[in-house]
């Protein structure tokens, strides 16, 4: 039973469009930036960063790992070398895509068309999905030890899987919505 004064409220629709009261009061460009691209970017960056950090950690760990069955150590296995190389390229692609979205959002802010906003969110969802796939691949390269509760790789896999499960990053929904705009159909709400 508490009344919140009108001047202490913000319309979600206005925030979603980058036209909240703060955009009129403050010169900073962030106030004119639509909420969803910012939330999508802010929530997807940790997935890419986690994939990159985990890759770096595994890269340092693998040379010291011996094979339990004899034969060549993990560092000499071509399958692990290939997974690490692929993972590094894929994480770089995801990071480049995020940087490109940030550049575009920064250029157009509240002047973005619904099609641009839908594309940005689909691209952010794609970077989270790419990060998850990288981590799944690395967890296979890491062997059974990588799934122990005290190993950082299993935590990274779980964390990014949770991120990818969030409705904002539901890749099928984001791609469907982007595909609609590519075919001249209007995007589905909340755009």
């Amino acid at each position: 039973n508490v009344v919140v004064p009108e001047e202490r409220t913000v319309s979600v629709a206005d925030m979603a469009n980058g036209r909240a009261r703060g955009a009129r009061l403050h010169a900073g460009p962030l106030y004119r930036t639509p909420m969803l691209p910012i939330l999508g970017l802010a929530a997807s960056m940790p997935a890419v960063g986690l994939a990159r950090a985990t890759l770096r950690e595994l890269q340092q760990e693998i040379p010291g790992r011996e094979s339990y069955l004899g034969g060549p150590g993990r560092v000499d296995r071509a399958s692990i070398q290939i997974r690490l190389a692929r993972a590094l390229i894929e994480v770089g692609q995801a990071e480049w895509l995020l940087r490109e979205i940030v550049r575009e959002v920064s250029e157009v802010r509240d002047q973005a068309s619904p099609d641009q906003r839908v594309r940005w969110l689909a691209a952010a969802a794609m970077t989270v999905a790419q990060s998850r796939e990288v981590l799944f691949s690395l967890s296979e390269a890491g062997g059974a030890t990588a799934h122990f509760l005290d190993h950082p790789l299993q935590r990274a896999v779980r964390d990014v899987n949770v991120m990818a499960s969030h409705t904002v990053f539901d890749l099928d929904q984001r791609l469907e919505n982007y595909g609609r705009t590519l075919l001249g159909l209007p995007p589905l709400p909340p755009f």
Side-chain angles (χ1 to χ4, degrees):
N1 295 329
V2 175
V3 175
V4 177
E6 179 68 27
E7 67 270 9
R8 294 189 180 215
T9 64
V10 179
S11 159
V12 173
D14 287 345
M15 284 192 323
N17 292 313
R19 295 190 177 97
R21 191 176 315 117
R24 294 186 301 272
L25 297 174
H26 303 288
L30 191 56
Y31 289 98
R32 291 182 291 106
T33 306
M35 180 176 63
L36 275 179
I38 295 296
L39 290 177
L41 287 167
S44 60
M45 288 177 186
V48 176
L50 195 51
R52 184 174 290 287
T54 303
L55 173 60
R56 195 170 34 246
E57 188 164 325
L58 204 57
Q59 194 175 351
Q60 293 171 359
E61 177 185 309
I62 286 176
R65 301 263 309 273
E66 298 296 324
S67 173
Y68 291 115
L69 302 175
R74 297 186 75 74
V75 72
D76 294 315
R77 291 179 46 196
S79 62
I80 291 176
Q81 296 164 0
I82 290 167
R83 283 179 190 265
L84 288 175
R86 179 183 300 271
L88 186 60
I89 291 169
E90 289 175 349
V91 167
Q93 288 173 326
E95 186 175 326
W96 177 87
L97 185 54
L98 280 179
R99 289 180 185 278
E100 190 62 19
I101 299 167
V102 168
R103 185 191 61 72
E104 289 179 23
V105 169
S106 297
E107 283 179 9
V108 296
R109 302 211 182 260
D110 60 336
Q111 302 303 309
S113 69
D115 294 1
Q116 287 173 306
R117 293 180 195 187
V118 167
R119 181 173 50 81
W120 293 336
L121 206 48
M126 183 65 77
T127 66
V128 173
Q130 285 176 313
S131 298
R132 180 173 61 178
E133 292 305 314
V134 162
L135 288 168
F136 284 166
S137 177
L138 291 176
S139 71
E140 291 173 354
T145 307
H147 299 278
F148 291 174
L149 286 178
D150 63 346
H151 198 285
L153 181 55
Q154 64 79 28
R155 173 69 186 262
V157 168
R158 283 187 301 131
D159 287 352
V160 172
N161 197 45
V162 168
M163 290 178 210
S165 299
H166 192 282
T167 188
V168 170
F169 299 123
D170 182 323
L171 189 57
D172 289 340
Q173 286 184 349
R174 297 306 133 239
L175 292 176
E176 175 193 4
N177 217 11
Y178 182 37
R180 287 177 59 84
T181 65
L182 294 173
L183 295 171
L185 299 171
L188 299 171
F191 298 98

